[in-house]
Amino acid sequence: MKYTLPILTYAFDALEPFIDTQTMNIHYSKHHQAYVDNVNAALSKYPEVAEIELLELLKDLDKVPADIRGAVRNNGGGHINHTMFWEVMAPNGKKEPTGALLSEIEKTFGTLSSMKEQFATAAKTRFGSGWAWLVVTADNELKIVSTANQDNPVSEGLTPILGLDVWEHAYYLKYQNRRPEYIEQWWNVVNWDVVERNFEAAK
Ligand code: MN3
């Protein structure tokens, strides 16, 4: 058992009313746990590959034997993606970016609200299951991208600093088919302290 669920620093009901208790509970205890269990099971077949950090494997999936590559991509990605997702949310986090990150957002997108709008568009238009991301490129620039399934931007040479899960399991119990409303409400629980820290680490 190499990988385990990360410790949640807040209770399942802490993000109410924006993210409901039941969704948090099932999402963390069932969905994320399944990604952890499945990536551990896949990697157990290749102890020498299991020695390599998951993030390094996702950066270069060719390092992963073909018969477990899909399992590592999907479940390893699921583990890494959800770990970031829990971290970038908090009940009483910093509500807006400031400092270097805000400057960079304004330089790239004009305004914070224009960045949020572009991010929301990426999240809304991701067909089926996937994620929207704010990433830092290899040229140290901010960019908004979306990925399918549990793909992580590191596989494309990008460093994510903020990620939003738009799989239906992330919002359906509360928002049903209203993904745009979920996206809009989600900004209320984003913890910009952590996004700023991710930005500093990515540069
Ligand atoms: Mn999810």
Short mmCIF file of all heavy atoms in Angstrom, two decimals, residues 108-163:
data_model
loop_
_atom_site.label_atom_id
_atom_site.label_comp_id
_atom_site.label_asym_id
_atom_site.label_seq_id
_atom_site.Cartn_x
_atom_site.Cartn_y
_atom_site.Cartn_z
N THR A 108 -2.00 38.45 -17.75
CA THR A 108 -2.38 37.43 -18.74
C THR A 108 -3.83 37.56 -19.20
O THR A 108 -4.13 37.41 -20.39
CB THR A 108 -2.19 36.01 -18.13
OG1 THR A 108 -0.88 35.93 -17.59
CG2 THR A 108 -2.38 34.94 -19.19
N PHE A 109 -4.73 37.83 -18.24
CA PHE A 109 -6.17 37.77 -18.56
C PHE A 109 -6.86 39.14 -18.50
O PHE A 109 -8.05 39.22 -18.78
CB PHE A 109 -6.88 36.80 -17.61
CG PHE A 109 -6.30 35.41 -17.60
CD1 PHE A 109 -5.42 35.02 -16.60
CD2 PHE A 109 -6.62 34.49 -18.60
CE1 PHE A 109 -4.86 33.74 -16.59
CE2 PHE A 109 -6.08 33.22 -18.60
CZ PHE A 109 -5.19 32.85 -17.59
N GLY A 110 -6.14 40.17 -18.10
CA GLY A 110 -6.76 41.49 -17.95
C GLY A 110 -7.24 41.73 -16.54
O GLY A 110 -6.71 42.57 -15.83
N THR A 111 -8.23 40.93 -16.13
CA THR A 111 -8.75 41.05 -14.77
C THR A 111 -8.96 39.67 -14.17
O THR A 111 -9.01 38.66 -14.89
CB THR A 111 -10.13 41.77 -14.75
OG1 THR A 111 -11.04 40.98 -15.52
CG2 THR A 111 -10.04 43.18 -15.34
N LEU A 112 -9.13 39.66 -12.84
CA LEU A 112 -9.43 38.40 -12.16
C LEU A 112 -10.76 37.81 -12.65
O LEU A 112 -10.87 36.61 -12.90
CB LEU A 112 -9.49 38.64 -10.64
CG LEU A 112 -9.89 37.45 -9.77
CD1 LEU A 112 -8.89 36.30 -9.91
CD2 LEU A 112 -10.02 37.87 -8.30
N SER A 113 -11.74 38.69 -12.85
CA SER A 113 -13.05 38.15 -13.27
C SER A 113 -12.98 37.60 -14.68
O SER A 113 -13.67 36.64 -15.01
CB SER A 113 -14.16 39.18 -13.09
OG SER A 113 -13.91 40.30 -13.87
N SER A 114 -12.14 38.18 -15.51
CA SER A 114 -11.99 37.64 -16.86
C SER A 114 -11.28 36.27 -16.83
O SER A 114 -11.61 35.37 -17.61
CB SER A 114 -11.26 38.67 -17.74
OG SER A 114 -10.45 38.06 -18.67
N MET A 115 -10.34 36.11 -15.90
CA MET A 115 -9.72 34.79 -15.74
C MET A 115 -10.76 33.77 -15.29
O MET A 115 -10.84 32.67 -15.84
CB MET A 115 -8.58 34.88 -14.69
CG MET A 115 -7.76 33.60 -14.53
SD MET A 115 -8.54 32.29 -13.58
CE MET A 115 -8.38 32.95 -11.92
N LYS A 116 -11.60 34.17 -14.31
CA LYS A 116 -12.63 33.25 -13.82
C LYS A 116 -13.62 32.88 -14.92
O LYS A 116 -14.09 31.74 -14.99
CB LYS A 116 -13.39 33.89 -12.64
CG LYS A 116 -12.59 33.93 -11.34
CD LYS A 116 -13.45 34.50 -10.24
CE LYS A 116 -12.77 34.42 -8.88
NZ LYS A 116 -13.60 35.00 -7.80
N GLU A 117 -13.92 33.85 -15.77
CA GLU A 117 -14.84 33.60 -16.88
C GLU A 117 -14.26 32.57 -17.85
O GLU A 117 -14.94 31.63 -18.28
CB GLU A 117 -15.06 34.91 -17.63
CG GLU A 117 -16.49 35.24 -17.98
CD GLU A 117 -16.57 36.68 -18.46
OE1 GLU A 117 -16.41 36.89 -19.68
OE2 GLU A 117 -16.75 37.57 -17.60
N GLN A 118 -12.98 32.76 -18.20
CA GLN A 118 -12.34 31.81 -19.12
C GLN A 118 -12.22 30.42 -18.49
O GLN A 118 -12.36 29.41 -19.16
CB GLN A 118 -10.94 32.32 -19.51
CG GLN A 118 -10.98 33.47 -20.49
CD GLN A 118 -9.57 33.85 -20.95
OE1 GLN A 118 -8.75 33.00 -21.26
NE2 GLN A 118 -9.29 35.13 -20.98
N PHE A 119 -11.93 30.41 -17.19
CA PHE A 119 -11.84 29.14 -16.47
C PHE A 119 -13.19 28.43 -16.49
O PHE A 119 -13.28 27.23 -16.76
CB PHE A 119 -11.38 29.42 -15.03
CG PHE A 119 -11.05 28.19 -14.22
CD1 PHE A 119 -9.74 27.76 -14.08
CD2 PHE A 119 -12.06 27.47 -13.58
CE1 PHE A 119 -9.43 26.64 -13.32
CE2 PHE A 119 -11.76 26.34 -12.83
CZ PHE A 119 -10.45 25.93 -12.69
N ALA A 120 -14.26 29.20 -16.23
CA ALA A 120 -15.61 28.63 -16.21
C ALA A 120 -15.98 28.09 -17.59
O ALA A 120 -16.62 27.04 -17.71
CB ALA A 120 -16.61 29.68 -15.75
N THR A 121 -15.58 28.79 -18.63
CA THR A 121 -15.86 28.32 -19.99
C THR A 121 -15.17 26.97 -20.25
O THR A 121 -15.77 26.04 -20.79
CB THR A 121 -15.42 29.36 -21.03
OG1 THR A 121 -16.15 30.56 -20.78
CG2 THR A 121 -15.69 28.89 -22.44
N ALA A 122 -13.91 26.88 -19.82
CA ALA A 122 -13.18 25.62 -19.99
C ALA A 122 -13.87 24.50 -19.22
O ALA A 122 -13.97 23.36 -19.70
CB ALA A 122 -11.73 25.78 -19.52
N ALA A 123 -14.36 24.82 -18.02
CA ALA A 123 -15.02 23.81 -17.17
C ALA A 123 -16.38 23.40 -17.74
O ALA A 123 -16.75 22.23 -17.72
CB ALA A 123 -15.18 24.36 -15.75
N LYS A 124 -17.12 24.38 -18.27
CA LYS A 124 -18.46 24.10 -18.80
C LYS A 124 -18.39 23.32 -20.11
O LYS A 124 -19.25 22.50 -20.40
CB LYS A 124 -19.21 25.42 -19.07
CG LYS A 124 -19.82 26.04 -17.83
CD LYS A 124 -20.64 27.27 -18.17
CE LYS A 124 -19.78 28.52 -18.09
NZ LYS A 124 -20.56 29.77 -18.07
N THR A 125 -17.38 23.61 -20.92
CA THR A 125 -17.34 23.03 -22.26
C THR A 125 -16.55 21.71 -22.31
O THR A 125 -16.43 21.12 -23.37
CB THR A 125 -16.75 24.02 -23.28
OG1 THR A 125 -15.45 24.41 -22.84
CG2 THR A 125 -17.64 25.25 -23.42
N ARG A 126 -16.00 21.29 -21.19
CA ARG A 126 -15.38 19.96 -21.15
C ARG A 126 -16.48 18.93 -21.32
O ARG A 126 -17.31 18.74 -20.43
CB ARG A 126 -14.61 19.80 -19.82
CG ARG A 126 -14.22 18.39 -19.42
CD ARG A 126 -13.47 17.56 -20.43
NE ARG A 126 -12.29 18.19 -21.00
CZ ARG A 126 -11.67 17.74 -22.11
NH1 ARG A 126 -12.13 16.68 -22.74
NH2 ARG A 126 -10.62 18.38 -22.57
N PHE A 127 -16.54 18.27 -22.45
CA PHE A 127 -17.61 17.31 -22.72
C PHE A 127 -17.37 16.04 -21.93
O PHE A 127 -16.28 15.49 -21.95
CB PHE A 127 -17.69 17.01 -24.22
CG PHE A 127 -18.87 16.16 -24.58
CD1 PHE A 127 -20.14 16.71 -24.65
CD2 PHE A 127 -18.72 14.81 -24.83
CE1 PHE A 127 -21.24 15.92 -24.96
CE2 PHE A 127 -19.80 14.01 -25.14
CZ PHE A 127 -21.07 14.57 -25.21
N GLY A 128 -18.41 15.58 -21.22
CA GLY A 128 -18.25 14.38 -20.41
C GLY A 128 -17.49 14.70 -19.14
O GLY A 128 -17.71 15.74 -18.53
N SER A 129 -16.59 13.80 -18.76
CA SER A 129 -15.89 13.94 -17.48
C SER A 129 -14.51 14.52 -17.65
O SER A 129 -13.81 14.22 -18.61
CB SER A 129 -15.76 12.56 -16.82
OG SER A 129 -17.05 12.04 -16.56
N GLY A 130 -14.10 15.34 -16.69
CA GLY A 130 -12.76 15.89 -16.75
C GLY A 130 -12.55 17.00 -15.75
O GLY A 130 -13.28 17.09 -14.76
N TRP A 131 -11.58 17.83 -16.05
CA TRP A 131 -11.13 18.88 -15.13
C TRP A 131 -10.85 20.17 -15.88
O TRP A 131 -10.48 20.15 -17.06
CB TRP A 131 -9.83 18.44 -14.44
CG TRP A 131 -10.01 17.29 -13.48
CD1 TRP A 131 -10.25 15.98 -13.82
CD2 TRP A 131 -9.98 17.34 -12.06
NE1 TRP A 131 -10.37 15.22 -12.67
CE2 TRP A 131 -10.20 16.04 -11.58
CE3 TRP A 131 -9.77 18.37 -11.13
CZ2 TRP A 131 -10.23 15.72 -10.22
CZ3 TRP A 131 -9.80 18.06 -9.78
CH2 TRP A 131 -10.03 16.75 -9.34
N ALA A 132 -10.99 21.29 -15.18
CA ALA A 132 -10.48 22.57 -15.66
C ALA A 132 -9.31 22.97 -14.76
O ALA A 132 -9.33 22.68 -13.56
CB ALA A 132 -11.58 23.63 -15.61
N TRP A 133 -8.34 23.63 -15.36
CA TRP A 133 -7.09 23.92 -14.64
C TRP A 133 -6.58 25.34 -14.93
O TRP A 133 -6.67 25.81 -16.07
CB TRP A 133 -5.98 22.97 -15.09
CG TRP A 133 -6.27 21.52 -15.00
CD1 TRP A 133 -6.76 20.71 -15.99
CD2 TRP A 133 -6.08 20.66 -13.86
NE1 TRP A 133 -6.88 19.42 -15.53
CE2 TRP A 133 -6.48 19.36 -14.24
CE3 TRP A 133 -5.60 20.87 -12.56
CZ2 TRP A 133 -6.41 18.26 -13.38
CZ3 TRP A 133 -5.53 19.79 -11.69
CH2 TRP A 133 -5.94 18.50 -12.10
N LEU A 134 -5.98 25.93 -13.93
CA LEU A 134 -5.10 27.08 -14.13
C LEU A 134 -3.69 26.51 -13.99
O LEU A 134 -3.38 25.87 -12.97
CB LEU A 134 -5.38 28.15 -13.07
CG LEU A 134 -4.52 29.43 -13.16
CD1 LEU A 134 -4.75 30.17 -14.47
CD2 LEU A 134 -4.85 30.37 -11.98
N VAL A 135 -2.88 26.70 -15.03
CA VAL A 135 -1.56 26.07 -15.04
C VAL A 135 -0.48 27.11 -15.30
O VAL A 135 -0.75 28.22 -15.78
CB VAL A 135 -1.45 24.98 -16.15
CG1 VAL A 135 -2.50 23.90 -15.96
CG2 VAL A 135 -1.53 25.59 -17.55
N VAL A 136 0.76 26.73 -14.97
CA VAL A 136 1.94 27.49 -15.35
C VAL A 136 2.63 26.71 -16.46
O VAL A 136 2.87 25.50 -16.31
CB VAL A 136 2.89 27.71 -14.15
CG1 VAL A 136 4.16 28.42 -14.60
CG2 VAL A 136 2.19 28.50 -13.04
N THR A 137 2.91 27.39 -17.58
CA THR A 137 3.54 26.71 -18.72
C THR A 137 5.05 26.63 -18.53
O THR A 137 5.61 27.23 -17.61
CB THR A 137 3.28 27.47 -20.03
OG1 THR A 137 3.99 28.72 -19.97
CG2 THR A 137 1.79 27.75 -20.25
N ALA A 138 5.71 25.92 -19.43
CA ALA A 138 7.17 25.80 -19.39
C ALA A 138 7.83 27.17 -19.56
O ALA A 138 8.96 27.38 -19.11
CB ALA A 138 7.64 24.84 -20.47
N ASP A 139 7.13 28.11 -20.20
CA ASP A 139 7.65 29.47 -20.35
C ASP A 139 7.24 30.38 -19.19
O ASP A 139 7.31 31.61 -19.30
CB ASP A 139 7.13 30.10 -21.66
CG ASP A 139 7.56 29.30 -22.87
OD1 ASP A 139 8.68 28.75 -22.83
OD2 ASP A 139 6.78 29.21 -23.84
N ASN A 140 6.76 29.75 -18.10
CA ASN A 140 6.39 30.52 -16.90
C ASN A 140 5.20 31.44 -17.11
O ASN A 140 5.12 32.50 -16.50
CB ASN A 140 7.58 31.36 -16.43
CG ASN A 140 8.23 30.74 -15.20
OD1 ASN A 140 7.56 30.03 -14.44
ND2 ASN A 140 9.50 31.00 -15.02
N GLU A 141 4.30 31.02 -17.99
CA GLU A 141 3.11 31.84 -18.21
C GLU A 141 1.87 31.12 -17.68
O GLU A 141 1.82 29.89 -17.66
CB GLU A 141 2.96 32.16 -19.69
CG GLU A 141 4.04 33.14 -20.13
CD GLU A 141 3.97 33.49 -21.61
OE1 GLU A 141 3.32 32.73 -22.37
OE2 GLU A 141 4.58 34.50 -21.98
N LEU A 142 0.88 31.90 -17.27
CA LEU A 142 -0.38 31.31 -16.83
C LEU A 142 -1.22 30.94 -18.03
O LEU A 142 -1.19 31.62 -19.05
CB LEU A 142 -1.17 32.31 -15.97
CG LEU A 142 -0.66 32.60 -14.56
CD1 LEU A 142 -1.55 33.65 -13.90
CD2 LEU A 142 -0.61 31.33 -13.72
N LYS A 143 -1.98 29.86 -17.89
CA LYS A 143 -2.83 29.42 -18.98
C LYS A 143 -3.98 28.61 -18.39
O LYS A 143 -3.83 27.98 -17.35
CB LYS A 143 -2.00 28.53 -19.92
CG LYS A 143 -2.64 28.21 -21.24
CD LYS A 143 -1.68 27.36 -22.07
CE LYS A 143 -2.38 26.88 -23.35
NZ LYS A 143 -1.53 25.91 -24.08
N ILE A 144 -5.13 28.66 -19.05
CA ILE A 144 -6.26 27.83 -18.65
C ILE A 144 -6.40 26.68 -19.64
O ILE A 144 -6.39 26.91 -20.85
CB ILE A 144 -7.55 28.68 -18.58
CG1 ILE A 144 -7.48 29.60 -17.36
CG2 ILE A 144 -8.78 27.79 -18.53
CD1 ILE A 144 -8.43 30.74 -17.40
N VAL A 145 -6.51 25.48 -19.10
CA VAL A 145 -6.69 24.31 -19.96
C VAL A 145 -7.75 23.40 -19.32
O VAL A 145 -8.11 23.58 -18.16
CB VAL A 145 -5.38 23.50 -20.14
CG1 VAL A 145 -4.30 24.33 -20.81
CG2 VAL A 145 -4.87 22.94 -18.81
N SER A 146 -8.23 22.45 -20.10
CA SER A 146 -9.04 21.41 -19.49
C SER A 146 -8.52 20.07 -19.97
O SER A 146 -7.87 19.97 -21.01
CB SER A 146 -10.52 21.60 -19.81
OG SER A 146 -10.86 20.99 -21.02
N THR A 147 -8.75 19.04 -19.15
CA THR A 147 -8.31 17.70 -19.51
C THR A 147 -9.50 16.75 -19.39
O THR A 147 -10.44 17.00 -18.63
CB THR A 147 -7.19 17.19 -18.57
OG1 THR A 147 -7.64 17.22 -17.22
CG2 THR A 147 -5.92 18.02 -18.71
N ALA A 148 -9.43 15.66 -20.14
CA ALA A 148 -10.47 14.64 -20.08
C ALA A 148 -10.17 13.65 -18.96
O ALA A 148 -9.02 13.47 -18.55
CB ALA A 148 -10.54 13.89 -21.41
N ASN A 149 -11.22 13.02 -18.47
CA ASN A 149 -11.09 11.91 -17.50
C ASN A 149 -10.25 12.32 -16.29
O ASN A 149 -10.57 13.33 -15.66
CB ASN A 149 -10.54 10.68 -18.22
CG ASN A 149 -11.44 10.32 -19.41
OD1 ASN A 149 -12.65 10.29 -19.27
ND2 ASN A 149 -10.86 10.09 -20.57
N GLN A 150 -9.20 11.56 -15.98
CA GLN A 150 -8.34 11.96 -14.86
C GLN A 150 -6.95 12.37 -15.35
O GLN A 150 -5.97 12.30 -14.60
CB GLN A 150 -8.23 10.81 -13.82
CG GLN A 150 -9.52 10.48 -13.12
CD GLN A 150 -10.06 11.63 -12.27
OE1 GLN A 150 -9.40 12.66 -12.05
NE2 GLN A 150 -11.29 11.49 -11.79
N ASP A 151 -6.87 12.81 -16.58
CA ASP A 151 -5.57 13.25 -17.08
C ASP A 151 -5.13 14.50 -16.31
O ASP A 151 -5.95 15.37 -15.99
CB ASP A 151 -5.65 13.57 -18.58
CG ASP A 151 -5.75 12.30 -19.42
OD1 ASP A 151 -5.63 11.19 -18.85
OD2 ASP A 151 -5.97 12.42 -20.63
N ASN A 152 -3.84 14.56 -16.01
CA ASN A 152 -3.29 15.72 -15.30
C ASN A 152 -2.43 16.52 -16.27
O ASN A 152 -1.73 15.93 -17.10
CB ASN A 152 -2.45 15.23 -14.10
CG ASN A 152 -1.96 16.39 -13.24
OD1 ASN A 152 -1.07 17.15 -13.62
ND2 ASN A 152 -2.58 16.55 -12.08
N PRO A 153 -2.45 17.84 -16.18
CA PRO A 153 -1.68 18.68 -17.12
C PRO A 153 -0.17 18.38 -17.12
O PRO A 153 0.50 18.72 -18.10
CB PRO A 153 -1.94 20.10 -16.61
CG PRO A 153 -3.27 20.03 -15.92
CD PRO A 153 -3.31 18.67 -15.30
N VAL A 154 0.36 17.76 -16.07
CA VAL A 154 1.81 17.46 -16.08
C VAL A 154 2.18 16.56 -17.25
O VAL A 154 3.32 16.59 -17.72
CB VAL A 154 2.35 16.84 -14.76
CG1 VAL A 154 2.30 17.83 -13.62
CG2 VAL A 154 1.66 15.53 -14.43
N SER A 155 1.23 15.75 -17.71
CA SER A 155 1.50 14.87 -18.86
C SER A 155 1.72 15.68 -20.13
O SER A 155 2.25 15.16 -21.12
CB SER A 155 0.36 13.87 -19.06
OG SER A 155 0.17 13.09 -17.89
N GLU A 156 1.30 16.95 -20.13
CA GLU A 156 1.50 17.84 -21.27
C GLU A 156 2.59 18.87 -20.97
O GLU A 156 2.68 19.91 -21.66
CB GLU A 156 0.20 18.59 -21.60
CG GLU A 156 -0.98 17.68 -21.93
CD GLU A 156 -0.77 16.87 -23.21
OE1 GLU A 156 -0.12 17.39 -24.14
OE2 GLU A 156 -1.23 15.71 -23.27
N GLY A 157 3.37 18.65 -19.92
CA GLY A 157 4.46 19.57 -19.58
C GLY A 157 4.00 20.84 -18.89
O GLY A 157 4.72 21.83 -18.84
N LEU A 158 2.78 20.83 -18.35
CA LEU A 158 2.22 22.01 -17.67
C LEU A 158 2.13 21.72 -16.16
O LEU A 158 1.95 20.58 -15.76
CB LEU A 158 0.81 22.30 -18.21
CG LEU A 158 0.72 22.51 -19.72
CD1 LEU A 158 -0.73 22.44 -20.20
CD2 LEU A 158 1.35 23.85 -20.11
N THR A 159 2.26 22.78 -15.36
CA THR A 159 2.18 22.60 -13.91
C THR A 159 0.88 23.20 -13.39
O THR A 159 0.71 24.42 -13.42
CB THR A 159 3.37 23.31 -13.22
OG1 THR A 159 4.58 22.83 -13.80
CG2 THR A 159 3.37 23.03 -11.72
N PRO A 160 -0.05 22.36 -12.92
CA PRO A 160 -1.33 22.90 -12.43
C PRO A 160 -1.16 23.60 -11.08
O PRO A 160 -0.39 23.14 -10.24
CB PRO A 160 -2.21 21.66 -12.29
CG PRO A 160 -1.26 20.53 -12.10
CD PRO A 160 0.00 20.89 -12.85
N ILE A 161 -1.86 24.73 -10.91
CA ILE A 161 -1.86 25.40 -9.60
C ILE A 161 -3.27 25.48 -9.01
O ILE A 161 -3.43 25.78 -7.84
CB ILE A 161 -1.20 26.80 -9.67
CG1 ILE A 161 -1.96 27.77 -10.57
CG2 ILE A 161 0.25 26.68 -10.14
CD1 ILE A 161 -1.48 29.23 -10.44
N LEU A 162 -4.28 25.21 -9.84
CA LEU A 162 -5.67 25.21 -9.38
C LEU A 162 -6.44 24.26 -10.29
O LEU A 162 -6.31 24.35 -11.52
CB LEU A 162 -6.26 26.63 -9.48
CG LEU A 162 -7.75 26.80 -9.16
CD1 LEU A 162 -8.02 26.54 -7.69
CD2 LEU A 162 -8.23 28.21 -9.53
N GLY A 163 -7.24 23.36 -9.70
CA GLY A 163 -7.99 22.41 -10.51
C GLY A 163 -9.41 22.26 -10.02
O GLY A 163 -9.66 22.27 -8.81
#
